[in-house]
């Protein structure tokens, strides 16, 4: 039997539904404008959610004038490498801080969390100088090495693994399993929700990042999609091309949106567990 919702719960659901619709309207307007043939020269006013002259030309023109396909491939490659390195690093560090007992663990964990107080823009300058000195610009190393310090991921993994029974590790050790076997065969399979959350967050940060790729990538063949979008908008800034600009923005958002829709059911579960210590 379904429990009947109270008036308070109905009010909350109505308010949340209204908020969801309000947040969706800008995205729907962006998609509609990108498909509107009349928006090639000026933004339609008043705004409309259904295009009067639907056309796909605004999605074809950018690929004909800018190597967006290559930029998308570069962004996927960089995001895949950053996600793989950061998630594996966070899992190993979170496992160590949660289940292993070693001297200075608490102080080291607090020190790692303290680095979150440093603005990323401040750390970019010494990071750029160091990687440039090592000759790692215009390469994947410029993105892989910074991804090793996944502090947010380490925190989420530690909090999540704190909710898992420590007896699993003790029983496996009694049976002769190595530490790596316990980590890889027992705790990683149980960490699906937090892994999905880390994948979404890291992919989102990597895909939308503009400043760090702009610093590290000077060769056009390595440009990411966000740099390509910024260059396209800048180059066409003298001409009013709202439909094409909106189409490029929609294309840049689609990978993140699709990934979130595929994994979103894990996000709330992981964040809920990360704040609970059993």
């Amino acid at each position: 039997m379904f429990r009947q919702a109270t008036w308070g719960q109905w009010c909350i659901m109505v308010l949340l539904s209204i908020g969801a619709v309000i947040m969706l309207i800008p995205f729907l307007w962006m998609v509609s404008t990108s498909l509107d043939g009349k928006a090639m020269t000026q933004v339609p006013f008043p705004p409309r959610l259904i295009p009067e002259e639907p056309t796909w030309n605004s999605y074809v023109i950018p690929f004909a004038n800018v190597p967006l396909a290559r930029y998308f491939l570069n962004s996927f490659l960089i995001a895949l490498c950053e996600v793989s390195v950061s998630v594996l690093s966070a899992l190993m560090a979170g496992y160590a801080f949660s289940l292993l007992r070693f001297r200075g663990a608490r102080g080291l964990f607090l020190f790692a969390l303290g680095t979150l107080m440093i603005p990323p823009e401040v750390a970019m300058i010494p990071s750029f100088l160091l990687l440039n000195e090592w000759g790692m610009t215009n390469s994947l190393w410029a993105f892989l090495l910074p991804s090793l310090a996944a502090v947010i991921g380490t925190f989420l993994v530690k909090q999540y693994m704190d909710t898992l029974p420590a007896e699993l590790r003790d029983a496996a050790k009694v049976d002769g399993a190595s530490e790596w076997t316990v980590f890889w065969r027992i705790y990683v399979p149980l960490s699906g929700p937090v892994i999905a959350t880390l994948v979404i967050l890291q992919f989102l940060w990597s895909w939308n990042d503009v400043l760090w790729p702009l610093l590290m990538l000077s060769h056009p063949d390595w440009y990411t999609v966000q740099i390509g979008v910024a260059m396209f908008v800048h180059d066409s800034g003298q001409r009013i091309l709202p439909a094409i600009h909106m189409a490029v923005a929609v294309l840049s958002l689609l990978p993140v949106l699709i990934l979130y829709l595929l994994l979103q059911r894990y996000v709330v579960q992981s964040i809920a567990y990360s704040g609970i210590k059993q």
Side-chain angles (χ1 to χ4, degrees):
M1 296 296 293
F2 292 101
R3 183 170 59 88
Q4 186 175 3
T6 64
W7 280 105
Q9 292 173 329
W10 276 109
C11 290
I12 292 175
M13 287 188 288
V14 169
L15 291 176
L16 291 176
S17 300
I18 294 174
V21 171
I22 293 174
M23 296 182 68
L24 280 175
I25 287 177
F27 180 77
L28 295 176
W29 174 77
M30 180 173 63
V31 174
S32 173
T33 304
S34 69
L35 296 172
D36 196 339
K38 290 187 175 181
M40 286 291 185
T41 56
Q42 62 181 0
V43 179
F45 187 84
R48 51 177 177 262
L49 297 181
I50 300 178
E52 290 187 0
E53 299 179 1
T55 178
W56 291 99
N57 289 336
S58 55
Y59 287 88
V60 176
I61 293 175
F63 284 94
N65 292 272
V66 180
L68 279 182
R70 186 178 185 86
Y71 297 160
F72 270 95
L73 181 61
N74 292 340
S75 290
F76 273 116
L77 179 61
I78 291 173
L80 178 63
C81 293
E82 286 192 341
V83 167
S84 302
V85 171
S86 63
V87 171
L88 182 59
S89 173
L91 285 172
M92 291 190 294
Y95 174 84
F97 284 124
S98 176
L99 296 167
L100 303 185
R101 299 294 176 261
F102 55 93
R103 182 176 299 178
R106 180 176 177 80
L108 185 59
F109 182 67
L110 293 177
F111 175 78
L113 291 181
T115 60
L116 296 176
M117 308 297 290
I118 303 174
E121 294 77 10
V122 175
M124 282 184 181
I125 298 174
S127 299
F128 168 75
L129 294 176
L130 183 62
L131 293 174
N132 185 56
E133 182 68 22
W134 290 348
M136 293 184 177
T137 57
N138 293 309
S139 69
L140 287 176
W141 290 109
F143 301 91
L144 292 178
L145 292 182
S147 299
L148 290 173
V151 180
I152 286 290
T154 299
F155 171 75
L156 291 177
V157 171
K158 178 189 179 302
Q159 295 300 101
Y160 183 86
M161 287 191 175
D162 283 346
T163 66
L164 301 178
E167 291 78 9
L168 293 175
R169 175 176 177 269
D170 297 335
K173 297 292 286 185
V174 169
D175 290 338
S178 64
E179 203 68 61
W180 178 255
T181 301
V182 175
F183 166 74
W184 194 252
R185 301 285 298 274
I186 298 178
Y187 281 88
V188 169
L190 293 175
S191 302
V194 73
I195 292 175
T197 302
L198 293 179
V199 169
I200 292 175
L201 292 177
Q202 185 59 48
F203 187 87
L204 179 64
W205 293 333
S206 176
W207 186 266
N208 291 332
D209 194 10
V210 178
L211 184 55
W212 184 246
L214 195 61
L215 287 174
M216 302 307 300
L217 304 177
S218 58
H219 198 287
D221 290 343
W222 276 97
Y223 283 170
T224 62
V225 66
Q226 300 302 335
I227 297 179
V229 169
M231 292 178 59
F232 179 80
V233 173
H234 179 268
D235 293 341
S236 61
Q238 302 299 324
R239 306 182 301 276
I240 302 176
L241 304 170
I244 298 178
H245 291 176
M246 293 297 181
V248 173
V250 171
L251 289 173
S252 67
L253 286 174
L254 279 180
V256 176
L257 181 62
I258 293 173
L259 181 66
Y260 180 78
L261 290 178
L262 292 175
L263 302 179
Q264 58 89 22
R265 69 189 184 94
Y266 293 105
V267 176
V268 175
Q269 180 182 357
S270 172
I271 294 177
Y273 284 160
S274 66
I276 301 174
K277 177 67 179 294
Q278 292 180 344

